[in-house]
Amino acid sequence: MTESTEQFDVTIIGGGPTGLFAAFYAGMRDMKVKIIESMPQLGGQLGALYPEKDIYDVAGFPKIKAKDLVSNLKEQALKFNPTIVLEQTVEKLEHLEDQTIKLTSISGETHVTKAVIITAGVGAFQPRRIDTENAKQYEGHNLHYFVEDLEVFRDKKVVILGGGDSAVDWANMLDSIAKEVTLVHRRDKFRAHEHSVDLLKKSSVILKTPFQVKELIGDDTNIKQLVIQEVRGEKIETLDLDALICNYGFVSSLGAIKDWDLNIEKNAIVVNSKMETNIPGVYAAGDVATYEGKVKLIATGFGEAPTAVNNVKHYIDPKSRTQPMHSTSLFN
Amino acid sequence: MPKYTIVDKDTCIACGACGAAAPDLFDYDEEGYSEVIIDKNKGTIPILEDLEDDLIDARDGCPTESIKVSDEPFLCKMLNNQ
């Protein structure tokens, strides 16, 4: 846990498309920017839920894959070098005596900022966790919900849980790196790209279907064995393992944001036409923000982000213009 | 045992995950939110047994846990505000 006193002009909570565009725009308006994201990756729903889906309703792109849009947004957002904080979920928001805002994450880190833009979409994403009593104690050891470095699994016996794109892709990628890869899925059919499933069936990955997790056996820190049981059957098997990767998808929740005394309607924060919430210095944009006639689209978030940023600029520096220069005249 | 399902539209975020996992069970209303095809999201008609695995995939894949599954018909007023 770290106590940071470095003050930012604006802190953006949520690194989805609206948050990333807001970060770029705030950088363009010469603000010192921080983004706080609950996942170990940027991109929000686009990255977590449907990276392979084609999107057709973003202005200027007749068709673009969600992951490619994220990649473009990241490139754009990083232009002005914002500070990016990953894997932190903001739990508390409070005003300090000088009217700056202190944010505190669930893990205890603090962030000081003049203004906040909440672009949290449908709330912080968390991986759907294994539902056994002792699973939690293995997190941070040999139970993985994200794969950041394939080398961690070199020459190890790896078991992967799940039947979607992530599970199948990691199984295929680890096939040549790990000593042995076993994929456990609740049904015989996989919910992944046909091409990936074809690769899987031709690989040396051991398939255990239809099986589900019954028990994790290990010491205080590491899982040693996984007990699986046949779905609608009695067959039980015990697998030895060095690492367990769980890809059961994600769940999201607005969580503590609901306790900040914001005006909330149907899981969204009520804002005015400046994207201001009822709390001074706190703005919201994208799917998390609502007003009469609101339409929840990526395109809408892209419009609301500059509205929020330009009004934040005026809030923290009342002498500045709300109406910005055109970007074409800024970079020449 | 027959299975019934219903989408809680108050928490559905219209992400499309259930429609991808179980296209024969879930479609979208005019606002893009998901609903059960067979009984217009009333949770009163059991789904075909062949589709039960798809249903569980859709339930487990829903990021907001909006897909409810039951062995008994739902009281539609509780979830649907109808």
Side-chain angles (χ1 to χ4, degrees):
Chain A
M1 138 178 15
T2 53
E3 187 90 12
S4 170
T5 50
E6 186 183 1
Q7 191 179 93
F8 285 76
D9 291 326
V10 62
T11 297
I12 295 163
I13 300 175
T18 303
L20 288 170
F21 189 52
F24 158 76
Y25 206 96
M28 195 175 78
R29 290 234 55 193
D30 213 16
M31 285 193 256
K32 189 173 171 185
V33 182
K34 181 184 272 185
I35 308 177
I36 304 177
E37 164 61 42
S38 65
M39 297 261 284
Q41 66 190 36
L42 295 168
Q45 280 187 53
L46 277 66
L49 299 184
Y50 44 86
E52 297 293 335
K53 265 197 188 174
D54 289 320
I55 301 174
Y56 297 88
D57 57 355
V58 177
F61 293 97
K63 172 179 161 183
I64 185 165
K65 268 201 192 320
K67 65 178 181 185
D68 295 333
L69 183 60
V70 169
S71 169
N72 288 356
L73 282 162
K74 279 199 302 204
E75 183 187 337
Q76 192 176 27
L78 295 178
K79 184 172 176 68
F80 298 104
N81 300 310
T83 296
I84 296 173
V85 176
L86 298 174
E87 294 186 86
Q88 281 192 30
T89 303
V90 180
E91 186 181 38
K92 204 167 148 195
L93 177 148
E94 60 196 314
H95 280 91
L96 302 175
E97 276 181 13
D98 62 357
Q99 285 312 300
T100 55
I101 295 167
K102 182 173 148 189
L103 302 170
T104 308
S105 73
I106 287 176
S107 39
E109 293 88 351
T110 58
H111 308 274
V112 180
T113 184
K114 291 178 186 166
V116 170
I117 302 176
I118 304 171
T119 54
V122 292
F125 279 102
Q126 290 291 326
R128 195 185 299 273
R129 290 179 153 80
I130 298 174
D131 188 20
T132 66
E133 255 180 37
N134 59 347
K136 183 85 184 159
Q137 76 194 66
Y138 302 119
E139 284 184 35
H141 299 283
N142 71 339
L143 168 57
H144 304 262
Y145 288 102
F146 297 99
V147 176
E148 283 160 54
D149 179 8
L150 291 170
E151 283 302 314
V152 169
F153 304 100
R154 182 166 290 282
D155 299 327
K156 290 191 173 161
K157 284 180 106 166
V158 181
V159 177
I160 301 175
L161 307 175
D165 279 306
S166 299
V168 172
D169 287 348
W170 291 127
N172 284 334
M173 288 170 89
L174 286 170
D175 188 31
S176 58
I177 294 171
K179 184 175 170 191
E180 180 185 288
V181 179
T182 306
L183 181 57
V184 179
H185 182 39
R186 199 180 42 71
R187 58 188 296 193
D188 295 326
K189 190 174 142 194
F190 289 94
R191 268 180 301 113
H193 267 243
E194 276 178 19
H195 175 67
S196 312
V197 177
D198 285 346
L199 278 178
L200 179 74
K201 288 183 175 162
K202 286 177 195 151
S203 74
S204 55
V205 173
I206 302 161
L207 300 181
K208 294 287 180 190
T209 64
F211 277 91
Q212 58 195 5
V213 172
K214 184 173 163 58
E215 192 184 348
L216 305 179
I217 300 171
D219 55 24
D220 287 347
T221 52
N222 284 302
I223 307 165
K224 305 285 185 194
Q225 290 179 313
L226 173 73
V227 183
I228 54 175
Q229 180 168 9
E230 197 177 10
V231 175
R232 297 187 197 102
E234 297 299 316
K235 198 171 167 191
I236 288 176
E237 290 191 27
T238 301
L239 310 174
D240 292 333
L241 58 85
D242 299 313
L244 181 63
I245 300 171
C246 177
N247 289 124
Y248 283 169
F250 297 95
V251 287
S252 68
S253 159
L254 263 191
I257 291 177
K258 282 186 172 171
D259 303 326
W260 293 354
D261 290 330
L262 291 158
N263 284 341
I264 304 254
E265 271 179 19
K266 281 189 81 174
N267 278 320
I269 302 166
V270 178
V271 294
N272 62 17
S273 59
K274 294 178 178 178
M275 299 294 129
E276 278 176 323
T277 70
N278 58 309
I279 299 180
V282 180
Y283 295 69
D287 281 0
V288 80
T290 192
Y291 44 82
E292 194 183 352
K294 166 80 181 197
V295 176
K296 288 186 183 181
L297 288 176
I298 294 168
T300 319
F302 287 167
E304 292 168 359
T307 301
V309 170
N310 285 314
N311 282 290
V312 165
K313 177 76 178 174
H314 186 72
Y315 170 80
I316 62 175
D317 177 11
K319 285 185 214 147
S320 71
R321 290 154 52 103
T322 303
Q323 183 65 40
M325 306 270 284
H326 290 128
S327 64
T328 44
S329 58
L330 291 175
F331 297 126
N332 296 325
Chain B
M1 187 174 288
K3 294 264 185 260
Y4 300 81
T5 182
I6 196 166
V7 179
D8 183 348
K9 292 198 186 191
D10 281 346
T11 54
C12 173
I13 56 169
C15 73
C18 58
D24 297 326
L25 288 174
F26 299 98
D27 200 354
Y28 307 103
D29 66 16
E30 66 275 12
E31 290 183 81
Y33 294 105
S34 177
E35 63 181 21
V36 181
I37 296 169
I38 193 168
D39 55 14
K40 285 271 175 202
N41 212 42
K42 289 187 171 58
T44 51
I45 300 178
I47 66 150
L48 293 173
E49 202 178 330
D50 287 355
L51 296 176
E52 282 184 16
D53 279 332
D54 281 355
L55 172 64
I56 302 307
D57 273 354
R59 183 196 65 187
D60 291 351
C62 174
T64 55
E65 299 180 332
S66 299
I67 294 175
K68 313 296 178 191
V69 177
S70 170
D71 296 335
E72 297 172 351
F74 284 87
L75 293 170
C76 58
K77 279 184 185 167
M78 285 171 61
L79 281 170
N80 243 1
N81 297 323
Q82 286 180 352

